[in-house]
Amino acid sequence: MTDAHETAADRSLRTTGGAPPDDAGSSVSQAPTPLLEPREGIPPVIADAAALAEVTAAFAAGHGPVAVDAERASGYRYGQRAYLVQLRREGAGTALIDPVACPDLSGLGAAIADTEWVLHAATQDLPCLREIGMVPTRIFDTELAGRLAGFPRVGLGAMVENVLGFVLEKGHSAVDWSTRPLPEPWLRYAALDVELLVDLRDALEKELDRQGKLEWARQEFDAIASAPPPEPRKDPWRRTSGMHKVRRRRQLAVVRELWQTRDRIAQRRDVSPGKVLGDAAIVEAALALPPNAHALAALNGFGRVNRRQLEQWQVAVDRARGLSESQLPQPGQPVTGPPPPRAWADKDPAAAARLTAARAAVSALAERLNMPQENLITPDTVRRVCWEPPATLDEESVGAALAGHGARPWQVEQVTPVLVTALAGGVS
């Protein structure tokens, strides 16, 4: 064990700036220590069934929480699949697993299913872990813990530095993790990502307990672990960057046809859709409605496309141009719930006044509790309750309304009193 790791084993919560101060308003300031190597060195990448079975047995026999991380190839490959999975547990050490060579990790997932998994920004990694059979029953999310505890910078590097006093290697987070073989510097980076994750978890648990927020965090973690997979997004083409420029229904149809064509090609090639055709080019074609491939080639984003690909994009444009009026997409998606807040003053001035008061009350409460407003209560929940408040504005009714929109018990307890006052016409 290195001197740095020995220090980490004994270190209590400390800060190097950017962390919540203690009750006296002071904070410890020490020069952070670079963390350059995993304590047992870089482990070999697990890429066959026999090695995976050994790792599964080792992690099943280990003790304490399991640090878990996954690396994707966003921006390079289609979808959000995992290309490397990192785990660390006391008694088992660190494991780096290739989920391309070992696509079914359900046995490993089952072996540690009843153990607490420590992840950073869990909602980013859980979907790709679920795809390969790894589904936790209990988690501790160090990023969310940092938000609840009031840390202004909650990236893993910032948290490890501010809380534990170590500097993690930077520079490989956005590389193409589908590369094979993975370079040694990347594997070192990946191993270090889980090296101190349990240490960070332990320090944050103490800090949350000190602030009286530990039960709040547990409720949030339970909600993440028990949440079902999200429903597929309806009309994902509407999220094309630059869509605000597209006004006419025929132009919307061009965006839809080009987006869907691009998506099919990207999926077939297993590349990021942006590498097939940029969003800006799609919007450009939608606004221009080019009548032929020659006109399409003159638009930004299409000038360097070869003739065969150019004709492929023009076919998509022509499909949109040939649709009947009834087949064209509507300008906006069907809205469920309240209208956009900017329209409230005209549609319902009283609701607009309630929302203004509620936002101010929630903002003030979040500031007192030293956490982001969106972690105290989601803006959508506040809008829904302000648009259709309970008939009786008391704590029981407002609390039930918040719970009905998915607020956790701790959120209901904290937010209900100030929201009752705001809905009644004042600000707490």
Side-chain angles (χ1 to χ4, degrees):
M1 182 179 289
T2 66
D3 291 341
H5 289 112
E6 290 174 352
T7 305
D10 299 328
R11 191 185 301 266
S12 59
L13 180 84
R14 48 72 52 87
T15 72
T16 59
D22 61 26
D23 291 331
S26 63
S27 64
V28 179
S29 181
Q30 297 172 278
T33 303
L35 193 63
L36 303 177
E37 288 287 337
R39 66 190 75 177
E40 298 98 5
I42 303 172
V45 177
I46 305 302
D48 60 64
L52 179 59
E54 290 182 10
V55 163
T56 299
F59 273 79
H63 51 91
V66 180
V68 183
D69 191 21
E71 304 295 346
R72 299 177 296 280
S74 305
Y76 297 93
R77 296 290 183 175
Y78 185 86
Q80 295 295 317
R81 67 172 295 184
Y83 283 94
L84 187 70
V85 175
Q86 308 103 279
L87 303 97
R88 182 172 182 82
R89 190 180 194 188
E90 191 69 27
T94 296
L96 303 179
I97 303 174
D98 180 359
V100 177
C102 302
D104 182 5
L105 300 186
S106 57
L108 173 61
I112 58 173
D114 294 333
T115 301
E116 181 188 83
W117 295 20
V118 184
L119 304 102
H120 192 81
T123 54
Q124 294 182 21
D125 286 340
L126 288 178
C128 69
L129 291 169
R130 185 181 290 114
E131 288 181 359
I132 53 179
M134 297 188 67
V135 183
T137 55
R138 292 186 294 131
I139 71 163
F140 190 105
D141 186 334
T142 51
E143 184 202 49
L144 181 52
R147 291 181 184 277
L148 296 175
F151 286 81
R153 297 169 61 229
V154 293
L156 180 59
M159 292 294 291
V160 167
E161 181 174 341
N162 290 337
V163 177
L164 301 177
F166 292 96
V167 179
L168 291 176
E169 182 182 356
K170 300 176 182 177
H172 299 306
S173 60
V175 299
D176 181 2
W177 288 95
S178 68
T179 300
R180 294 295 183 272
L182 287 164
E184 183 177 294
W186 299 11
L187 296 174
R188 180 182 297 106
Y189 165 91
L192 289 174
D193 263 4
V194 292
E195 182 81 2
L196 296 179
L197 205 51
V198 173
D199 299 83
L200 179 61
R201 172 238 180 268
D202 293 344
L204 288 172
E205 182 179 60
K206 291 178 182 177
E207 177 64 12
L208 287 167
D209 190 37
R210 185 185 74 82
Q211 294 185 25
K213 299 176 180 176
L214 183 56
E215 175 57 28
W216 303 358
R218 287 173 175 157
Q219 291 180 26
E220 293 299 302
F221 301 157
D222 288 345
I224 293 173
S226 62
E231 294 290 330
R233 191 182 298 276
K234 181 177 173 58
D235 291 345
W237 58 270
R238 292 183 183 272
R239 294 179 63 84
T240 303
S241 180
M243 278 291 288
H244 61 282
K245 303 175 186 176
V246 183
R247 305 290 186 183
R248 292 156 49 194
R249 294 176 64 199
R250 184 75 56 186
Q251 295 172 332
L252 290 172
V254 172
V255 173
R256 181 178 64 185
E257 293 296 333
L258 286 173
W259 190 98
Q260 292 175 345
T261 299
R262 180 184 69 173
D263 195 64
R264 288 192 296 270
I265 294 169
Q267 188 170 13
R268 186 176 71 246
R269 296 181 185 171
D270 190 19
V271 297
S272 168
K275 289 188 175 295
V276 176
L277 187 69
D279 281 8
I282 290 178
V283 171
E284 186 91 3
L287 297 176
L289 290 171
N292 52 53
H294 179 73
L296 182 63
L299 301 177
N300 290 334
F302 293 95
R304 297 185 179 181
V305 174
N306 66 48
R307 181 172 179 79
R308 182 170 174 273
Q309 291 174 329
L310 198 62
E311 290 174 351
Q312 170 180 257
W313 300 125
Q314 186 60 42
V315 167
V317 173
D318 290 343
R319 277 199 304 269
R321 289 170 60 92
L323 295 175
S324 66
E325 286 293 321
S326 63
Q327 294 174 307
L328 297 177
Q330 294 299 320
Q333 293 175 289
V335 176
T336 58
R342 63 179 178 272
W344 286 29
D346 292 331
K347 291 178 177 292
D348 189 338
R354 289 194 295 268
L355 182 61
T356 298
R359 282 174 165 172
V362 169
S363 177
L365 177 59
E367 188 171 349
R368 291 199 296 272
L369 295 175
N370 192 26
M371 69 172 63
Q373 293 181 46
E374 63 270 19
N375 292 115
L376 174 59
I377 192 75
T378 67
D380 181 68
T381 297
V382 174
R383 285 194 295 269
R384 289 174 183 270
V385 173
C386 288
W387 184 253
E388 293 183 354
T392 303
L393 293 179
D394 57 22
E395 293 202 3
E396 182 178 0
S397 299
V398 172
L402 291 172
H405 291 302
R408 261 70 73 188
W410 77 269
Q411 294 174 315
V412 172
E413 179 183 7
Q414 294 297 317
V415 174
T416 296
V418 299
L419 209 52
V420 168
T421 302
L423 292 172
V427 180
S428 173

